[in-house]
Amino acid sequence: MTPATPSTSPPTASRGAQRVPALLLSALLAACATPPAAPPPPPPAPVGLADLMERPAERALVEGIRLYDNGQYPAAEAALRRALDAGLASARDQASAHKLIAFITCTSAREADCEAAFRAALAADPGFTLGRAEAGHPMWGPVWARVSTR
């Protein structure tokens, strides 16, 4: 009778026993997974010009721009101030109204008002800036340079 020699190879597990850890790991990972995110809401419907013209502030802004473009500066300034007082919804529109007021006041030798209008434009829209030609204008360019570098 020969004594049994110990086996040097590791014991083999049954196939079912090998699957249990894999199944447990899969279950744990599935439990940790986050549920899918809800789809984003649909974008808001675009606002048309007719809708904007029903708003007093936006209507006054359009009027002020038209008057400015026609060289009717006192009437343009009044319309632009009405637009601001009526509460323009867009920060960009507010900045645009202040910009045109700055142009009007600078060209009518009201430099303090011009500077205040440029400051108001920047307060309304911190990303506001003048175009290259506007910034180089001899009447309001120096005021803008002083205000925009502070």
Side-chain angles (χ1 to χ4, degrees):
M1 194 157 121
T2 55
T5 57
S7 171
T8 57
S9 62
T12 59
S14 70
R15 282 191 148 174
Q18 286 178 347
R19 289 185 184 158
V20 170
L23 289 173
L24 284 174
L25 180 60
S26 294
L28 285 172
L29 288 175
C32 293
T34 58
V47 177
L49 183 58
D51 296 324
L52 288 176
M53 292 305 288
E54 291 179 10
R55 300 177 187 171
E58 284 73 10
R59 189 172 48 248
L61 175 62
V62 170
E63 178 188 358
I65 292 169
R66 183 184 58 77
L67 291 165
Y68 180 87
D69 287 344
N70 289 331
Q72 299 174 8
Y73 302 121
E77 182 178 358
L80 294 166
R81 291 191 187 280
R82 269 196 323 275
L84 291 165
D85 291 343
L88 289 167
S90 161
R92 186 173 179 191
D93 287 347
Q94 293 170 27
S96 293
H98 286 298
K99 174 183 89 168
L100 293 178
I101 291 170
F103 291 176
I104 293 166
T105 55
C106 268
T107 56
S108 59
R110 297 181 296 169
E111 192 171 307
D113 291 339
C114 177
E115 187 171 325
F118 277 138
R119 287 190 193 290
L122 285 168
D125 179 4
F128 170 77
T129 190
L130 292 183
R132 192 169 165 175
E134 293 172 331
H137 190 278
M139 298 292 286
W140 58 73
V143 178
W144 168 251
R146 190 170 55 247
V147 168
S148 65
T149 58
R150 289 185 186 169

